[in-house]
Amino acid sequence: MKPDQIGLELSVVPSIRPSVAVLDLRLRGTKFVTLQPRSVLNSPTQTGMEYWSINPYVGCEFGCTYCYARYAHRYVVERAHDAGKLTDQEFAEYRGAHGWEAFENRIFVKEQILGALDADLRRFFKVQQPDGDIEAIVIGTATDPYQPAERRFRLTRAVLERLAKYEGLSVGIITKSPLVARDRDVLLRLQERNDLQIHVSLITADAKLARKLEARSPIPAARLRALKKLTDAGVNAGLIIAPVLPGITDDVPSLTKLFVAARAAGARFIHAGALRLYPAIRDRFMPILGEHFPDLLPRYEKAYKGQGAAPRDYAKALARRVKTLQRKHGFPVNDGMVDRYRVKRRPAQGSLELRGSLL
Ligand code: SF4
């Protein structure tokens, strides 16, 4: 039995109350609770991104320390509390002692996602320009769509099945999970009449380093094997190296290992982007940085002072490095993540004071 199947034996758990029914409970303590949103396809206006996005789950068991999606979980919990759907006691549980733990072990499952998606897609098509490109839909912008929950609830697969009935869409998926290879059949169907890009996410080929930074993510070799399965099947898939961590994973030898591994796995493209250090990330990430890389702590504090985005000089230097590697290893040259899934409204830049670049 695989670890993430253990808890299925314990799955008969009574609802706390109708709005937050517990669907499953794992031995590790993870609870899966139902969420029934009226809308699941977020528009660019709602998110500030240039694309539409779908996240079948809120929260993610992989627990990457640098994950910027913790804010989304906090938002859902605070809204439910404000609306009287969570008691104070439940609010404390669903938020966690420091406000970030529950993101990893209180996972909201968007049940009945297809009903909401159908209504959203009608809205989506209505606002597309008749003569312009159809805007992209990205699955997995705020939580991993193939996290362990997907093995049981299969919401991502259901979404893909629905999207495969359309044509002319531009669909992206971002995941760290080898489970994505399970859906090769529906991905190939979707790809027949739509533009599809699967981004397998990997920040380092070093399994020990990955474990320091990502509490429960699949090991790098498993992700690369999944990438190979996808490309062998003919699915348009590549690697996304994000976030690149200054002074930790941004050196040429480390990046080269990823480019070589991606090439061997048949990746069609590679995107990369530097760490964004927003407030919701700092609480979780900075103590880990201090524990494993104490020398870097003051440098990060200085470089990201007053801003979430990486300093402009650093981002430019990283983009140059990535482009050089793309050329060298025979990948299409692009501007990293911004090439396809561009952030429309950038957070305000504070003082860009990176002296003595981390590169
Ligand atoms: S896999 Fe993605 S969504 Fe999940 S914790 Fe890691 S960065 Fe966040």
Side-chain angles (χ1 to χ4, degrees):
M1 183 181 279
K2 293 180 183 165
D4 57 10
Q5 292 174 315
I6 291 173
L8 298 184
E9 307 304 315
L10 306 175
S11 61
V12 184
V13 180
S15 303
I16 296 175
R17 48 202 290 144
S19 57
V20 284
V22 178
L23 299 168
D24 196 2
L25 182 63
R26 304 276 163 98
L27 283 182
R28 198 175 64 77
T30 303
K31 264 187 200 172
F32 298 95
V33 293
T34 181
L35 187 69
Q36 297 179 345
R38 281 195 295 269
S39 170
V40 291
L41 180 58
N42 302 306
S43 71
T45 313
Q46 289 169 295
T47 61
M49 309 284 187
E50 270 195 354
Y51 47 81
W52 295 65
S53 55
I54 302 176
N55 292 287
Y57 307 96
V58 182
C60 181
E61 277 193 282
F62 289 155
C64 306
T65 57
Y66 51 74
C67 179
Y68 68 84
R70 289 169 201 279
Y71 77 92
H73 188 278
R74 189 181 297 189
Y75 176 74
V76 166
V77 170
E78 287 178 356
R79 256 196 4 177
H81 184 240
D82 291 349
K85 292 180 178 170
L86 288 177
T87 64
D88 289 347
Q89 195 184 353
E90 288 165 351
F91 178 64
E93 176 191 341
Y94 284 83
R95 209 156 174 272
H98 304 95
W100 52 257
E101 304 94 327
F103 171 81
E104 301 174 19
N105 59 23
R106 296 291 179 268
I107 312 294
F108 292 95
V109 177
K110 294 183 184 173
E111 282 197 309
Q112 298 164 15
I113 195 168
L114 292 184
L117 181 60
D118 286 340
D120 287 342
L121 284 170
R122 284 194 287 277
R123 181 168 59 102
F124 170 81
F125 284 113
K126 222 180 249 178
V127 300
Q128 298 303 307
Q129 300 296 331
D131 302 325
D133 287 342
I134 285 207
E135 292 168 292
I137 297 173
V138 184
I139 303 171
T141 54
T143 55
D144 200 303
Y146 284 100
Q147 60 178 286
E150 171 64 13
R151 209 176 280 281
R152 168 169 182 179
F153 299 106
R154 299 171 77 90
L155 298 185
T156 300
R157 185 175 172 91
V159 167
L160 293 175
E161 292 275 11
R162 184 56 49 102
L163 294 180
K165 294 186 187 305
Y166 292 88
E167 61 181 88
L169 295 175
S170 172
V171 179
I173 299 176
I174 304 170
T175 182
K176 285 184 165 64
S177 173
L179 186 58
V180 61
R182 175 199 70 185
D183 289 347
R184 292 188 296 266
D185 57 339
V186 63
L187 292 169
L188 284 170
R189 254 187 290 130
L190 176 62
Q191 193 178 269
E192 276 171 19
R193 296 184 296 161
N194 301 280
D195 181 24
L196 175 69
Q197 282 198 353
I198 310 293
H199 302 260
V200 173
S201 170
L202 184 59
I203 66 161
T204 175
D206 179 340
K208 282 190 185 148
L209 176 58
R211 189 51 71 235
K212 284 178 188 164
L213 300 163
E214 302 170 356
R216 288 167 290 279
S217 65
I219 58 169
R223 289 182 242 179
L224 291 164
R225 277 197 297 275
L227 176 57
K228 181 141 187 359
K229 278 188 196 169
L230 290 171
T231 56
D232 281 353
V235 176
N236 186 33
L239 200 68
I240 183 167
I241 310 171
V244 175
L245 299 172
I248 302 174
T249 60
D250 61 353
D251 58 292
V252 172
S254 299
L255 290 171
T256 298
K257 275 187 194 159
L258 286 172
F259 274 75
V260 169
R263 183 88 274 164
R268 309 266 176 94
F269 50 83
I270 292 192
H271 297 287
L275 174 71
R276 287 177 278 173
L277 206 46
Y278 298 131
I281 310 173
R282 285 175 198 249
D283 295 351
R284 181 72 176 114
F285 179 74
M286 294 305 263
I288 298 292
L289 183 71
E291 184 184 336
H292 296 295
F293 305 95
D295 294 351
L296 287 176
L297 194 55
R299 295 169 69 183
Y300 271 62
E301 275 163 357
K302 187 173 173 201
Y304 286 93
K305 188 177 177 190
Q307 64 184 47
R312 199 192 306 265
D313 290 351
Y314 177 85
K316 278 186 184 168
L318 179 63
R320 280 197 300 276
R321 180 166 288 183
V322 169
K323 282 183 183 180
T324 303
L325 288 167
Q326 284 169 332
R327 268 186 219 103
K328 185 172 174 192
H329 294 275
F331 288 102
V333 176
N334 55 46
D335 283 332
M337 294 171 70
V338 294
D339 193 42
R340 182 177 169 88
Y341 303 127
R342 191 184 303 272
V343 177
K344 199 192 275 178
R345 292 198 307 264
R346 294 188 179 282
Q349 299 271 334
S351 60
L352 297 169
E353 47 173 304
L354 184 66
R355 298 289 174 256
S357 171
L358 297 173
L359 277 173

